[in-house]
Amino acid sequence: DAGVTQSPTHLIKTRGQQVTLRCSPKSGHDTVSWYQQALGQGPQFIFQYYEEEERQRGNFPDRFSGHQFPNYSSELNVNALLLGDSALYLCASSYRQGRGDEKLFFGSGTQLSVL
Amino acid sequence: LAKTTQPISMDSYEGQEVNITCSHNNIATNDYITWYQQFPSQGPRFIIQGYKTKVTNEVASLFIPADRKSSTLSLPRVSLSDTAVYYCLVGERDDKIIFGKGTRLHILP
């Protein structure tokens, strides 16, 4: 049983470019959340997708957008990249049971460097 | 969302029991308490979750007092490989799961 897989593992872009990161959730999971983690900081919540819709969003600008596909996989898009967007981007999947005991399973992340 | 407060860092020695306490004074009735472990350049990993009293699994124990305003993660007989960042999270159902800064645990030989 494959866990959460993310691609690519590393990416180098220049300012102003656009990037797309991909995530395949753990088998049986229907919810995908994206996090940004800067060096030495905790993961910062970007948004969550469930039933192909954005359900929750953190304090990130509209340059950050996403999509969830019918097979529950997800993409994170970042437009007009800034130097400050350099970070580890983490995808987490879960099964939405609606009881408050949701457990996140994380991928290994995509390390994005913006030059 | 209930805010959590944890020590920024802790040091311990191999073979010792380590207890990390998390404060969550505003925890709501439906909130569960969940702990994650993160190694450098990896995603966080679920360790343990509880609602009240005590929960134990093969990795750790979680102690939650009756008022649920705090919780303690207990790691028995730590080794060097337990050096990591530990996050305490509290959240309601279907709510966005927010990570704080966590506790950096450093195990010394």
Side-chain angles (χ1 to χ4, degrees), chain A residues 60-76:
Chain A
F60 279 79
D62 292 343
R63 298 187 297 109
F64 290 78
S65 63
H67 189 77
Q68 185 179 35
F69 300 93
N71 67 353
Y72 307 116
S73 66
S74 177
E75 288 182 351
L76 164 64

Side-chain angles (χ1 to χ4, degrees), chain A residues 4 13 30 45 56 59 74 96 108 115:
Chain A
V4 180
K13 292 286 189 179
D30 58 6
F45 177 80
Q56 300 276 359
N59 188 27
S74 177
R96 196 178 189 90
S108 296
L115 305 179

Side-chain angles (χ1 to χ4, degrees), chain B residues 30-83:
Chain B
N30 295 328
D31 285 348
Y32 280 76
I33 301 157
T34 310
W35 286 79
Y36 290 84
Q37 174 193 56
Q38 187 178 26
F39 299 111
S41 300
Q42 294 185 24
R45 180 177 74 103
F46 171 85
I47 301 176
I48 197 166
Q49 183 182 75
Y51 183 79
K52 62 180 180 180
T53 63
K54 177 183 174 182
V55 179
T56 297
N57 61 23
E58 66 279 4
V59 177
S61 294
L62 179 60
F63 299 92
I64 305 169
D67 66 7
R68 304 202 326 123
K69 292 184 182 299
S70 67
S71 59
T72 299
L73 174 72
S74 181
L75 304 173
R77 298 179 299 281
V78 293
S79 65
L80 295 177
S81 63
D82 292 314
T83 293

Side-chain angles (χ1 to χ4, degrees), chain A residues 35 37 40-45 48 56-58 88 90 96-104 106-108, chain B residues 30 32 34 36 38 41-46 49 87 91-101 104:
Chain A
Y35 290 82
Q37 186 171 28
Q41 302 297 314
Q44 298 296 306
F45 177 80
Q48 179 189 82
Q56 300 276 359
R57 189 177 183 92
L88 180 66
L90 295 163
R96 196 178 189 90
Q97 300 181 95
R99 299 188 309 222
D101 59 349
E102 203 162 310
K103 303 175 185 65
L104 297 179
F106 283 83
S108 296
Chain B
N30 295 328
Y32 280 76
T34 310
Y36 290 84
Q38 187 178 26
S41 300
Q42 294 185 24
R45 180 177 74 103
F46 171 85
Q49 183 182 75
Y87 297 95
E92 298 179 28
R93 67 176 189 179
D94 299 341
D95 206 351
K96 50 190 174 184
I97 299 176
I98 304 296
F99 285 75
K101 295 183 178 180
R104 294 185 176 278

Side-chain angles (χ1 to χ4, degrees), chain A residues 2-9 21-26 34 73-74 91 93 105-110:
Chain A
V4 180
T5 58
Q6 292 187 242
S7 63
T9 55
L21 311 181
R22 295 177 176 82
C23 172
S24 293
K26 180 179 170 64
W34 286 92
S73 66
S74 177
C91 169
S93 74
F105 288 78
F106 283 83
S108 296
T110 295

